[in-house]
Every structure is written in C-alpha cells, then in structure tokens.
Amino acid sequence: MSTPRLRFAPSPTGYLHIGGARTALFNWLWARRTGGRFILRIEDTDRERSTQAAVDAIFDAMRWLGLDWDEGPDVGGPHGPYFQTQRLEIYRSYADKLRQAGKAYACYCSREELDAGRKQAEAQKRQYRYPGTCREKPYDPSRPHVLRFRMPETGATTFDDLVKGPITTPHDTLQDEVILRGDGMPLYNFGALVDDVQMGVTLVARGDDHVNNTARQILMYQGLGETLPVFAHLPMILGADKTRLSKRHGATSVTAYRDMGYLPGAVVNYLVRLGWSHGDQEIFTLAELTRLFDFADVGDTAGVFNPDKMLWVNHEWLRALSDEELARQALPFFRAAGLPAEDDAKLRHVVRMARERAKTFAEIAQQFRYCYAPAELDPKAAAKFLTPETRPLLQAVRDGLAALPAPDAQSLEKLFQEVATARALGLGKVAQPVRVALTGGTASPGIYDVVLILGRAESLARLDGALARIG
RNA sequence: GGCCCCAUCGUCUAGAGGCCUAGGACGCGGGCCUUUCAAGCCUGCAACACGGGUUCGAAUCCCGUUGGGGUCACCA
C-alpha cells in the first residue's frame, strides 16, 4: 500500500477559522499517525475574495497550532506549484482531455440567459437544472465559452464515506456543471479534483458541507480514468443556537485565541475532542493524538462549540506548565497590558500563584495587575475592610513588617498570627484588610505570598497608603 | 421546496442486542477544606426526540414521523 497523502486546501478569503483548523488538524493527525504526507494547497481561484494577507494569516495560524506541512507553499514539493492560480495550465490540460473524450463540452450561454432560465424555474417553483443547451454544439474556441462536464442523467453514484458510511447521490439531481470559467479559472469541484489527482492525494477529509460535491467529483475522476481517493466528511461545528458557527457566536479565528492567551496544544485538544473521542479521556498531548487519532472514531453528528469547555481545557494545559515556561509565555501578556514585568524570580512567583486561579495568559496578566501597577481599590472592598475598626490591625501589621528586615513565609506567618491572637481574632480578620490594602480587592493568593511578591518596601508603602486613606 | 446527512443529560460524548437502575467531561447546585479567591475532595440535578416493528430481550437493528444541519453559482 502506498504512502497516505492528505491535504488541507483553504481558500484565502479570511483568517483561519476554527472549523478550518479542525479540518486541517484531522488531516494532519492522520498523516502523522500513518507516516504519510501532509500537503498544504491554497485555493485562490476566487480572485475577488482572495488576499495575500489571508494567505499569511493562514500560515501563521497553522504554524502556531503546530500543523506543519510536508509539501506546500514555501516548502515546495514534487507536485507544485501549490497556489491554484499558478496551476492554470494544469487545469486546462485536464479539461482538454475531458473535452476531447467527449466528457466535457463548451457552453456558449451568457450569464443573462442562464439567469433568465433560473428565474423562470423559480417562478414556476421548478427545480432548475442547466437544460443542456450547448451539449451537442461543436467546439468553437473563438467564441467566449465555459466548459461543462457532461453528467449522466440516470443512475446513481454511491461511495463509502470513512465517517458517515455509504452515501448515495441520484444522478438526476446533478447538472452539467461548469468546470472551467470563461477566463480559464477552474471551479471548485474541478480545480480541487485535478489537484488531488495530480498531487496523488489518497484521502480527502473535509467539511460536511462537501458531501454533495463528492458524487460529482467521483464522476469526474471516472471521466478522467483516475483512481478514487477515500473520502471522509467531518461534521460541522455549530454555535450555541445550533446554526453554523460564525462571528455572531464569538471569536472564530484561531489567532484570536492565541491573542487571548490560549495554548496551541489546548486549542488542538479541544478541537479534536469536538467530534472525536477516545473513551473517557479528555486531555491529550499532541504525541498521544498522533498515536490514537482515527477517522473511524469521528462521530457523525454536528457539534456545538462550547467556549466554557475550551477554557477549561486551556486551564488544564496551563497548569501543567513549569513555572519557568509559564513565566516565559505570560510575559508578553503583561507587557501588552502595559505592565513592566520581567522574566525573573518575581514573575515566576506570580505565575506560580496564578496557575490555579487564571485560565488564560490574558487572565493572568489582568488578575495579577496589582503586582506590577498600583492597586486599583475596589470601593466596596475598601468600605468594608479599610475602616477605623481595622486601622489598628493594619498599623500593627505595618509596624511588624517594618521590623522584619528580610521577611519570609515563616516570619510573616508569625507576624500575622501574633497580630490576630493578641486581639483574639481569627486570621481572616487580619488578612482581609491587609489584602485589600495590598491588592485593592478581596480575592488574591495567600496573603504571605502577596507580601513576598510585592516586596517589603512596596508592601509597606501600600499599607501606609491605606492607613492614610482611613485617616 | 428537491436532494443528502444527522438525532443519548443544557453542551461534548461513552455505548457495536443482555454488562444500562445509561458511564465520563464541561457547566450548574450543595458540602468539606480554608486568611479571601482559586485549586482539591465529596455530593446533587440532568439524556436515549416520538410512533411502529424485529427479537426471549433494543439507547443499540428496520420503517415512519418530527426536529436539526448541509447543499442546490462562470463562490469555495
């Protein structure tokens, strides 16, 4: 059996979408699992909507996710070029082959004529199909024309989908489809197929929305006398309202999740679990996935994208990072928030505390802002904890801290205990006002850690500030 | 509307005729721990769309209904 060859063929009309990323991922996973090849091809034949910026954005997102390609733009390969617009002669030659074999023919109908026909059909509530006007006309390359594939009118085509099982399409639902436009651009069904043939693709895994294209493509493979690849149609990703996932449902671009402080592994983990499962396991490393993934285990029902669960998965990944790695990766998010963090012991201490409390890098930077900027006092917290009643407590802690030349966890604990027991109070009565004075709010890591992170001088300053505020 | 596909907790899913009084996870509720917040631990709520078959036995197989999604271009 020959080496499996898979591909991802996005059209560069925008950023890499969550759904596209999952399609790419499943293809990549299978290629890696089987020792096959993963090909990236850019389907840019829609000149109106394709942009270089989108091409760059797609590369960027794929690389971030860790989906590397063996053949494709910028790495090359034996079946290039990998941009469809650079492959026009190839489509032309395959189309000629079809035309010469009588499997395709030139159609000289104008768009106006075609539109009129469609309108009429609609008015009569009839199903429109191209009437075959030019089916028997002789080939005249001097006249403007498109090329149409001659579809069989009777019978049906059945193929065995790797995830959905057998799917049958009656031929009378098909029409003589345009395969080459007037300007020589191939249409999707033809371009993709020619590329798949010429690039030796053995397994086509793509979105569910392509099932209806498959019979037409199979007919064209047969017209060309080429062997068929295996098809796998992946269920769609839906939004919470069960309609196709779109911007209305929140962030759908892969890079948006990078910018929000998600880990690529976590995004991959979540995406793969949306439609694929392996028993009760939820968290998978990339290495595990390239060992376990199988199209046979992909479910055949559409899945609702659940941001909460993705957040949870990200948290699981975040927590597994070492302090060093966590600090290194969190740093840019502190910087982006305008905070003067450095990749140092302090940051490592911060992230060690943040690990259990924040689910993304962006959350870490936002939640621990006070470690690098003046505390933003929450008025409600201040009203409750920075009062004349708590003043003596704050003063006692302040003085005790001032008397500690080099505070550490032990000495701080001793200090707080003494302040509390001297007044027959619980530790919480002391810790909470101090917490508000130091962080501005009522929620934070353990108070000793907060003092240690801020340092003795800064802690004293904030305590003094709170004291002054109470008056 | 035609055609195609699909149908287990709110969501992702396990389930290949008896292991199902339907399991796990997210989320949600309660409790424990505790200097707050998290985390952790314990615990609760919550599903086989409906109707017919087949079978000794059906979430699992078949048919229908309903519901959802996809697709019907010189877009991809």
PDB file of all heavy atoms in Angstrom, chain B residues 38-50:
ATOM      1  P     A B  38     -13.979  31.346  44.092  1.00  0.00           P
ATOM      2  OP1   A B  38     -15.197  31.553  43.323  1.00  0.00           O
ATOM      3  OP2   A B  38     -13.940  30.357  45.189  1.00  0.00           O
ATOM      4  O5'   A B  38     -12.799  31.037  43.076  1.00  0.00           O
ATOM      5  C5'   A B  38     -12.410  29.712  42.849  1.00  0.00           C
ATOM      6  C4'   A B  38     -11.025  29.713  42.254  1.00  0.00           C
ATOM      7  O4'   A B  38     -10.103  30.360  43.175  1.00  0.00           O
ATOM      8  C3'   A B  38     -10.484  28.317  42.046  1.00  0.00           C
ATOM      9  O3'   A B  38     -10.886  27.813  40.802  1.00  0.00           O
ATOM     10  C2'   A B  38      -8.980  28.564  42.132  1.00  0.00           C
ATOM     11  O2'   A B  38      -8.470  29.103  40.940  1.00  0.00           O
ATOM     12  C1'   A B  38      -8.912  29.608  43.255  1.00  0.00           C
ATOM     13  N9    A B  38      -8.872  28.996  44.582  1.00  0.00           N
ATOM     14  C8    A B  38      -9.846  28.966  45.552  1.00  0.00           C
ATOM     15  N7    A B  38      -9.506  28.327  46.647  1.00  0.00           N
ATOM     16  C5    A B  38      -8.220  27.887  46.377  1.00  0.00           C
ATOM     17  C6    A B  38      -7.302  27.145  47.124  1.00  0.00           C
ATOM     18  N6    A B  38      -7.551  26.688  48.356  1.00  0.00           N
ATOM     19  N1    A B  38      -6.107  26.874  46.568  1.00  0.00           N
ATOM     20  C2    A B  38      -5.849  27.333  45.334  1.00  0.00           C
ATOM     21  N3    A B  38      -6.632  28.045  44.527  1.00  0.00           N
ATOM     22  C4    A B  38      -7.818  28.300  45.114  1.00  0.00           C
ATOM     23  P     A B  39     -11.589  26.371  40.723  1.00  0.00           P
ATOM     24  OP1   A B  39     -11.999  26.154  39.327  1.00  0.00           O
ATOM     25  OP2   A B  39     -12.567  26.288  41.824  1.00  0.00           O
ATOM     26  O5'   A B  39     -10.366  25.408  41.073  1.00  0.00           O
ATOM     27  C5'   A B  39      -9.201  25.391  40.266  1.00  0.00           C
ATOM     28  C4'   A B  39      -8.096  24.678  40.998  1.00  0.00           C
ATOM     29  O4'   A B  39      -7.742  25.430  42.192  1.00  0.00           O
ATOM     30  C3'   A B  39      -8.476  23.303  41.529  1.00  0.00           C
ATOM     31  O3'   A B  39      -8.350  22.308  40.534  1.00  0.00           O
ATOM     32  C2'   A B  39      -7.465  23.124  42.658  1.00  0.00           C
ATOM     33  O2'   A B  39      -6.191  22.793  42.157  1.00  0.00           O
ATOM     34  C1'   A B  39      -7.429  24.538  43.238  1.00  0.00           C
ATOM     35  N9    A B  39      -8.426  24.705  44.299  1.00  0.00           N
ATOM     36  C8    A B  39      -9.613  25.389  44.239  1.00  0.00           C
ATOM     37  N7    A B  39     -10.311  25.355  45.355  1.00  0.00           N
ATOM     38  C5    A B  39      -9.531  24.596  46.207  1.00  0.00           C
ATOM     39  C6    A B  39      -9.708  24.192  47.544  1.00  0.00           C
ATOM     40  N6    A B  39     -10.779  24.506  48.270  1.00  0.00           N
ATOM     41  N1    A B  39      -8.744  23.435  48.098  1.00  0.00           N
ATOM     42  C2    A B  39      -7.661  23.107  47.367  1.00  0.00           C
ATOM     43  N3    A B  39      -7.382  23.440  46.090  1.00  0.00           N
ATOM     44  C4    A B  39      -8.366  24.190  45.571  1.00  0.00           C
ATOM     45  P     G B  40      -9.396  21.129  40.467  1.00  0.00           P
ATOM     46  OP1   G B  40      -9.009  20.269  39.323  1.00  0.00           O
ATOM     47  OP2   G B  40     -10.752  21.706  40.547  1.00  0.00           O
ATOM     48  O5'   G B  40      -9.110  20.343  41.834  1.00  0.00           O
ATOM     49  C5'   G B  40      -7.851  19.737  42.056  1.00  0.00           C
ATOM     50  C4'   G B  40      -7.809  19.181  43.456  1.00  0.00           C
ATOM     51  O4'   G B  40      -7.895  20.272  44.408  1.00  0.00           O
ATOM     52  C3'   G B  40      -8.978  18.274  43.824  1.00  0.00           C
ATOM     53  O3'   G B  40      -8.772  16.953  43.370  1.00  0.00           O
ATOM     54  C2'   G B  40      -8.983  18.377  45.344  1.00  0.00           C
ATOM     55  O2'   G B  40      -7.969  17.582  45.918  1.00  0.00           O
ATOM     56  C1'   G B  40      -8.640  19.857  45.538  1.00  0.00           C
ATOM     57  N9    G B  40      -9.836  20.702  45.635  1.00  0.00           N
ATOM     58  C8    G B  40     -10.339  21.542  44.671  1.00  0.00           C
ATOM     59  N7    G B  40     -11.421  22.176  45.053  1.00  0.00           N
ATOM     60  C5    G B  40     -11.648  21.722  46.351  1.00  0.00           C
ATOM     61  C6    G B  40     -12.673  22.058  47.271  1.00  0.00           C
ATOM     62  O6    G B  40     -13.615  22.833  47.130  1.00  0.00           O
ATOM     63  N1    G B  40     -12.531  21.357  48.473  1.00  0.00           N
ATOM     64  C2    G B  40     -11.518  20.468  48.742  1.00  0.00           C
ATOM     65  N2    G B  40     -11.560  19.893  49.959  1.00  0.00           N
ATOM     66  N3    G B  40     -10.547  20.147  47.896  1.00  0.00           N
ATOM     67  C4    G B  40     -10.678  20.813  46.720  1.00  0.00           C
ATOM     68  P     C B  41     -10.025  16.109  42.857  1.00  0.00           P
ATOM     69  OP1   C B  41      -9.491  14.904  42.200  1.00  0.00           O
ATOM     70  OP2   C B  41     -10.968  16.991  42.131  1.00  0.00           O
ATOM     71  O5'   C B  41     -10.719  15.674  44.232  1.00  0.00           O
ATOM     72  C5'   C B  41     -10.006  14.881  45.176  1.00  0.00           C
ATOM     73  C4'   C B  41     -10.799  14.795  46.453  1.00  0.00           C
ATOM     74  O4'   C B  41     -10.857  16.119  47.060  1.00  0.00           O
ATOM     75  C3'   C B  41     -12.260  14.411  46.273  1.00  0.00           C
ATOM     76  O3'   C B  41     -12.431  13.011  46.150  1.00  0.00           O
ATOM     77  C2'   C B  41     -12.881  14.965  47.551  1.00  0.00           C
ATOM     78  O2'   C B  41     -12.623  14.137  48.660  1.00  0.00           O
ATOM     79  C1'   C B  41     -12.112  16.278  47.708  1.00  0.00           C
ATOM     80  N1    C B  41     -12.833  17.406  47.077  1.00  0.00           N
ATOM     81  C2    C B  41     -13.862  18.021  47.799  1.00  0.00           C
ATOM     82  O2    C B  41     -14.120  17.613  48.944  1.00  0.00           O
ATOM     83  N3    C B  41     -14.540  19.044  47.246  1.00  0.00           N
ATOM     84  C4    C B  41     -14.227  19.450  46.006  1.00  0.00           C
ATOM     85  N4    C B  41     -14.925  20.466  45.493  1.00  0.00           N
ATOM     86  C5    C B  41     -13.191  18.837  45.240  1.00  0.00           C
ATOM     87  C6    C B  41     -12.525  17.828  45.806  1.00  0.00           C
ATOM     88  P     C B  42     -13.621  12.463  45.216  1.00  0.00           P
ATOM     89  OP1   C B  42     -13.391  11.020  45.016  1.00  0.00           O
ATOM     90  OP2   C B  42     -13.761  13.353  44.038  1.00  0.00           O
ATOM     91  O5'   C B  42     -14.896  12.657  46.147  1.00  0.00           O
ATOM     92  C5'   C B  42     -14.973  12.005  47.400  1.00  0.00           C
ATOM     93  C4'   C B  42     -16.179  12.489  48.155  1.00  0.00           C
ATOM     94  O4'   C B  42     -16.011  13.906  48.469  1.00  0.00           O
ATOM     95  C3'   C B  42     -17.486  12.459  47.383  1.00  0.00           C
ATOM     96  O3'   C B  42     -18.079  11.166  47.362  1.00  0.00           O
ATOM     97  C2'   C B  42     -18.325  13.463  48.157  1.00  0.00           C
ATOM     98  O2'   C B  42     -18.821  12.922  49.353  1.00  0.00           O
ATOM     99  C1'   C B  42     -17.284  14.539  48.481  1.00  0.00           C
ATOM    100  N1    C B  42     -17.301  15.616  47.479  1.00  0.00           N
ATOM    101  C2    C B  42     -18.310  16.579  47.573  1.00  0.00           C
ATOM    102  O2    C B  42     -19.131  16.494  48.488  1.00  0.00           O
ATOM    103  N3    C B  42     -18.358  17.570  46.662  1.00  0.00           N
ATOM    104  C4    C B  42     -17.462  17.626  45.678  1.00  0.00           C
ATOM    105  N4    C B  42     -17.548  18.616  44.796  1.00  0.00           N
ATOM    106  C5    C B  42     -16.423  16.649  45.556  1.00  0.00           C
ATOM    107  C6    C B  42     -16.375  15.671  46.473  1.00  0.00           C
ATOM    108  P     U B  43     -19.045  10.764  46.142  1.00  0.00           P
ATOM    109  OP1   U B  43     -19.562   9.409  46.421  1.00  0.00           O
ATOM    110  OP2   U B  43     -18.342  11.039  44.873  1.00  0.00           O
ATOM    111  O5'   U B  43     -20.240  11.799  46.282  1.00  0.00           O
ATOM    112  C5'   U B  43     -21.160  11.702  47.375  1.00  0.00           C
ATOM    113  C4'   U B  43     -22.121  12.848  47.320  1.00  0.00           C
ATOM    114  O4'   U B  43     -21.381  14.101  47.357  1.00  0.00           O
ATOM    115  C3'   U B  43     -22.949  12.956  46.056  1.00  0.00           C
ATOM    116  O3'   U B  43     -24.067  12.084  46.081  1.00  0.00           O
ATOM    117  C2'   U B  43     -23.367  14.421  46.086  1.00  0.00           C
ATOM    118  O2'   U B  43     -24.422  14.649  46.989  1.00  0.00           O
ATOM    119  C1'   U B  43     -22.094  15.085  46.621  1.00  0.00           C
ATOM    120  N1    U B  43     -21.252  15.570  45.523  1.00  0.00           N
ATOM    121  C2    U B  43     -21.630  16.767  44.927  1.00  0.00           C
ATOM    122  O2    U B  43     -22.598  17.406  45.297  1.00  0.00           O
ATOM    123  N3    U B  43     -20.839  17.170  43.890  1.00  0.00           N
ATOM    124  C4    U B  43     -19.727  16.521  43.397  1.00  0.00           C
ATOM    125  O4    U B  43     -19.119  17.017  42.452  1.00  0.00           O
ATOM    126  C5    U B  43     -19.400  15.296  44.061  1.00  0.00           C
ATOM    127  C6    U B  43     -20.160  14.872  45.078  1.00  0.00           C
ATOM    128  P     G B  44     -24.802  11.708  44.688  1.00  0.00           P
ATOM    129  OP1   G B  44     -25.662  10.545  44.960  1.00  0.00           O
ATOM    130  OP2   G B  44     -23.794  11.650  43.612  1.00  0.00           O
ATOM    131  O5'   G B  44     -25.724  12.972  44.432  1.00  0.00           O
ATOM    132  C5'   G B  44     -26.785  13.290  45.337  1.00  0.00           C
ATOM    133  C4'   G B  44     -27.413  14.587  44.912  1.00  0.00           C
ATOM    134  O4'   G B  44     -26.397  15.630  44.881  1.00  0.00           O
ATOM    135  C3'   G B  44     -27.972  14.591  43.496  1.00  0.00           C
ATOM    136  O3'   G B  44     -29.269  14.035  43.467  1.00  0.00           O
ATOM    137  C2'   G B  44     -27.976  16.078  43.165  1.00  0.00           C
ATOM    138  O2'   G B  44     -29.074  16.733  43.757  1.00  0.00           O
ATOM    139  C1'   G B  44     -26.696  16.545  43.848  1.00  0.00           C
ATOM    140  N9    G B  44     -25.552  16.622  42.935  1.00  0.00           N
ATOM    141  C8    G B  44     -24.481  15.777  42.866  1.00  0.00           C
ATOM    142  N7    G B  44     -23.606  16.125  41.952  1.00  0.00           N
ATOM    143  C5    G B  44     -24.141  17.273  41.391  1.00  0.00           C
ATOM    144  C6    G B  44     -23.651  18.119  40.353  1.00  0.00           C
ATOM    145  O6    G B  44     -22.600  18.008  39.708  1.00  0.00           O
ATOM    146  N1    G B  44     -24.519  19.164  40.085  1.00  0.00           N
ATOM    147  C2    G B  44     -25.707  19.388  40.734  1.00  0.00           C
ATOM    148  N2    G B  44     -26.409  20.443  40.340  1.00  0.00           N
ATOM    149  N3    G B  44     -26.172  18.617  41.705  1.00  0.00           N
ATOM    150  C4    G B  44     -25.340  17.596  41.979  1.00  0.00           C
ATOM    151  P     C B  45     -29.803  13.350  42.113  1.00  0.00           P
ATOM    152  OP1   C B  45     -31.057  12.650  42.429  1.00  0.00           O
ATOM    153  OP2   C B  45     -28.677  12.612  41.507  1.00  0.00           O
ATOM    154  O5'   C B  45     -30.146  14.604  41.195  1.00  0.00           O
ATOM    155  C5'   C B  45     -31.121  15.559  41.616  1.00  0.00           C
ATOM    156  C4'   C B  45     -31.195  16.677  40.616  1.00  0.00           C
ATOM    157  O4'   C B  45     -29.947  17.426  40.615  1.00  0.00           O
ATOM    158  C3'   C B  45     -31.337  16.221  39.174  1.00  0.00           C
ATOM    159  O3'   C B  45     -32.691  15.936  38.880  1.00  0.00           O
ATOM    160  C2'   C B  45     -30.827  17.438  38.408  1.00  0.00           C
ATOM    161  O2'   C B  45     -31.810  18.453  38.294  1.00  0.00           O
ATOM    162  C1'   C B  45     -29.697  17.941  39.318  1.00  0.00           C
ATOM    163  N1    C B  45     -28.368  17.508  38.881  1.00  0.00           N
ATOM    164  C2    C B  45     -27.716  18.260  37.882  1.00  0.00           C
ATOM    165  O2    C B  45     -28.304  19.242  37.407  1.00  0.00           O
ATOM    166  N3    C B  45     -26.480  17.893  37.469  1.00  0.00           N
ATOM    167  C4    C B  45     -25.893  16.821  38.016  1.00  0.00           C
ATOM    168  N4    C B  45     -24.674  16.495  37.581  1.00  0.00           N
ATOM    169  C5    C B  45     -26.545  16.031  39.015  1.00  0.00           C
ATOM    170  C6    C B  45     -27.767  16.406  39.416  1.00  0.00           C
ATOM    171  P     A B  46     -33.034  14.607  38.092  1.00  0.00           P
ATOM    172  OP1   A B  46     -34.501  14.495  38.058  1.00  0.00           O
ATOM    173  OP2   A B  46     -32.211  13.503  38.618  1.00  0.00           O
ATOM    174  O5'   A B  46     -32.515  14.946  36.628  1.00  0.00           O
ATOM    175  C5'   A B  46     -33.009  16.081  35.930  1.00  0.00           C
ATOM    176  C4'   A B  46     -32.083  16.376  34.783  1.00  0.00           C
ATOM    177  O4'   A B  46     -30.791  16.786  35.286  1.00  0.00           O
ATOM    178  C3'   A B  46     -31.765  15.155  33.926  1.00  0.00           C
ATOM    179  O3'   A B  46     -32.807  14.886  33.012  1.00  0.00           O
ATOM    180  C2'   A B  46     -30.490  15.612  33.252  1.00  0.00           C
ATOM    181  O2'   A B  46     -30.738  16.492  32.184  1.00  0.00           O
ATOM    182  C1'   A B  46     -29.794  16.379  34.384  1.00  0.00           C
ATOM    183  N9    A B  46     -28.836  15.506  35.060  1.00  0.00           N
ATOM    184  C8    A B  46     -29.080  14.556  36.023  1.00  0.00           C
ATOM    185  N7    A B  46     -28.010  13.889  36.385  1.00  0.00           N
ATOM    186  C5    A B  46     -27.007  14.421  35.612  1.00  0.00           C
ATOM    187  C6    A B  46     -25.637  14.145  35.503  1.00  0.00           C
ATOM    188  N6    A B  46     -25.032  13.196  36.226  1.00  0.00           N
ATOM    189  N1    A B  46     -24.905  14.877  34.628  1.00  0.00           N
ATOM    190  C2    A B  46     -25.516  15.817  33.907  1.00  0.00           C
ATOM    191  N3    A B  46     -26.798  16.174  33.910  1.00  0.00           N
ATOM    192  C4    A B  46     -27.500  15.428  34.786  1.00  0.00           C
ATOM    193  P     A B  47     -33.257  13.386  32.787  1.00  0.00           P
ATOM    194  OP1   A B  47     -34.731  13.360  32.736  1.00  0.00           O
ATOM    195  OP2   A B  47     -32.528  12.507  33.706  1.00  0.00           O
ATOM    196  O5'   A B  47     -32.726  13.133  31.310  1.00  0.00           O
ATOM    197  C5'   A B  47     -33.178  13.963  30.230  1.00  0.00           C
ATOM    198  C4'   A B  47     -32.502  13.513  28.978  1.00  0.00           C
ATOM    199  O4'   A B  47     -31.074  13.509  29.193  1.00  0.00           O
ATOM    200  C3'   A B  47     -32.817  12.078  28.552  1.00  0.00           C
ATOM    201  O3'   A B  47     -34.022  12.045  27.808  1.00  0.00           O
ATOM    202  C2'   A B  47     -31.616  11.742  27.698  1.00  0.00           C
ATOM    203  O2'   A B  47     -31.723  12.297  26.407  1.00  0.00           O
ATOM    204  C1'   A B  47     -30.490  12.458  28.445  1.00  0.00           C
ATOM    205  N9    A B  47     -29.746  11.592  29.368  1.00  0.00           N
ATOM    206  C8    A B  47     -30.175  11.044  30.540  1.00  0.00           C
ATOM    207  N7    A B  47     -29.264  10.323  31.153  1.00  0.00           N
ATOM    208  C5    A B  47     -28.167  10.400  30.317  1.00  0.00           C
ATOM    209  C6    A B  47     -26.870   9.852  30.382  1.00  0.00           C
ATOM    210  N6    A B  47     -26.440   9.083  31.382  1.00  0.00           N
ATOM    211  N1    A B  47     -26.020  10.133  29.374  1.00  0.00           N
ATOM    212  C2    A B  47     -26.440  10.911  28.371  1.00  0.00           C
ATOM    213  N3    A B  47     -27.635  11.490  28.191  1.00  0.00           N
ATOM    214  C4    A B  47     -28.446  11.186  29.205  1.00  0.00           C
ATOM    215  P     C B  48     -34.976  10.779  27.925  1.00  0.00           P
ATOM    216  OP1   C B  48     -36.153  11.043  27.063  1.00  0.00           O
ATOM    217  OP2   C B  48     -35.114  10.504  29.339  1.00  0.00           O
ATOM    218  O5'   C B  48     -34.104   9.601  27.302  1.00  0.00           O
ATOM    219  C5'   C B  48     -34.415   9.121  26.011  1.00  0.00           C
ATOM    220  C4'   C B  48     -33.186   9.253  25.162  1.00  0.00           C
ATOM    221  O4'   C B  48     -32.125   8.540  25.819  1.00  0.00           O
ATOM    222  C3'   C B  48     -33.332   8.678  23.768  1.00  0.00           C
ATOM    223  O3'   C B  48     -32.686   9.559  22.861  1.00  0.00           O
ATOM    224  C2'   C B  48     -32.663   7.312  23.863  1.00  0.00           C
ATOM    225  O2'   C B  48     -31.970   7.051  22.666  1.00  0.00           O
ATOM    226  C1'   C B  48     -31.632   7.519  24.954  1.00  0.00           C
ATOM    227  N1    C B  48     -31.336   6.372  25.802  1.00  0.00           N
ATOM    228  C2    C B  48     -30.060   5.810  25.681  1.00  0.00           C
ATOM    229  O2    C B  48     -29.296   6.258  24.833  1.00  0.00           O
ATOM    230  N3    C B  48     -29.723   4.797  26.507  1.00  0.00           N
ATOM    231  C4    C B  48     -30.572   4.342  27.419  1.00  0.00           C
ATOM    232  N4    C B  48     -30.179   3.366  28.231  1.00  0.00           N
ATOM    233  C5    C B  48     -31.880   4.893  27.555  1.00  0.00           C
ATOM    234  C6    C B  48     -32.221   5.891  26.727  1.00  0.00           C
ATOM    235  P     A B  49     -33.353   9.747  21.406  1.00  0.00           P
ATOM    236  OP1   A B  49     -33.637   8.444  20.796  1.00  0.00           O
ATOM    237  OP2   A B  49     -32.469  10.737  20.726  1.00  0.00           O
ATOM    238  O5'   A B  49     -34.759  10.459  21.710  1.00  0.00           O
ATOM    239  C5'   A B  49     -34.812  11.616  22.535  1.00  0.00           C
ATOM    240  C4'   A B  49     -36.063  12.377  22.192  1.00  0.00           C
ATOM    241  O4'   A B  49     -35.823  13.136  20.972  1.00  0.00           O
ATOM    242  C3'   A B  49     -37.256  11.480  21.879  1.00  0.00           C
ATOM    243  O3'   A B  49     -37.983  11.198  23.058  1.00  0.00           O
ATOM    244  C2'   A B  49     -38.060  12.334  20.910  1.00  0.00           C
ATOM    245  O2'   A B  49     -38.832  13.290  21.582  1.00  0.00           O
ATOM    246  C1'   A B  49     -36.946  13.051  20.124  1.00  0.00           C
ATOM    247  N9    A B  49     -36.541  12.315  18.928  1.00  0.00           N
ATOM    248  C8    A B  49     -35.320  11.756  18.659  1.00  0.00           C
ATOM    249  N7    A B  49     -35.241  11.157  17.497  1.00  0.00           N
ATOM    250  C5    A B  49     -36.503  11.328  16.955  1.00  0.00           C
ATOM    251  C6    A B  49     -37.074  10.937  15.730  1.00  0.00           C
ATOM    252  N6    A B  49     -36.409  10.247  14.801  1.00  0.00           N
ATOM    253  N1    A B  49     -38.357  11.278  15.505  1.00  0.00           N
ATOM    254  C2    A B  49     -39.023  11.958  16.434  1.00  0.00           C
ATOM    255  N3    A B  49     -38.599  12.391  17.633  1.00  0.00           N
ATOM    256  C4    A B  49     -37.317  12.052  17.828  1.00  0.00           C
ATOM    257  P     C B  50     -38.623   9.736  23.228  1.00  0.00           P
ATOM    258  OP1   C B  50     -39.098   9.645  24.630  1.00  0.00           O
ATOM    259  OP2   C B  50     -37.686   8.735  22.693  1.00  0.00           O
ATOM    260  O5'   C B  50     -39.888   9.799  22.267  1.00  0.00           O
ATOM    261  C5'   C B  50     -40.912  10.763  22.483  1.00  0.00           C
ATOM    262  C4'   C B  50     -41.903  10.696  21.345  1.00  0.00           C
ATOM    263  O4'   C B  50     -41.256  11.137  20.127  1.00  0.00           O
ATOM    264  C3'   C B  50     -42.386   9.286  21.021  1.00  0.00           C
ATOM    265  O3'   C B  50     -43.455   8.897  21.858  1.00  0.00           O
ATOM    266  C2'   C B  50     -42.826   9.439  19.567  1.00  0.00           C
ATOM    267  O2'   C B  50     -44.088  10.052  19.460  1.00  0.00           O
ATOM    268  C1'   C B  50     -41.751  10.386  19.030  1.00  0.00           C
ATOM    269  N1    C B  50     -40.635   9.667  18.402  1.00  0.00           N
ATOM    270  C2    C B  50     -40.813   9.165  17.100  1.00  0.00           C
ATOM    271  O2    C B  50     -41.905   9.335  16.538  1.00  0.00           O
ATOM    272  N3    C B  50     -39.803   8.507  16.496  1.00  0.00           N
ATOM    273  C4    C B  50     -38.645   8.348  17.141  1.00  0.00           C
ATOM    274  N4    C B  50     -37.674   7.687  16.507  1.00  0.00           N
ATOM    275  C5    C B  50     -38.443   8.835  18.464  1.00  0.00           C
ATOM    276  C6    C B  50     -39.457   9.489  19.053  1.00  0.00           C
TER     277        C B  50
END
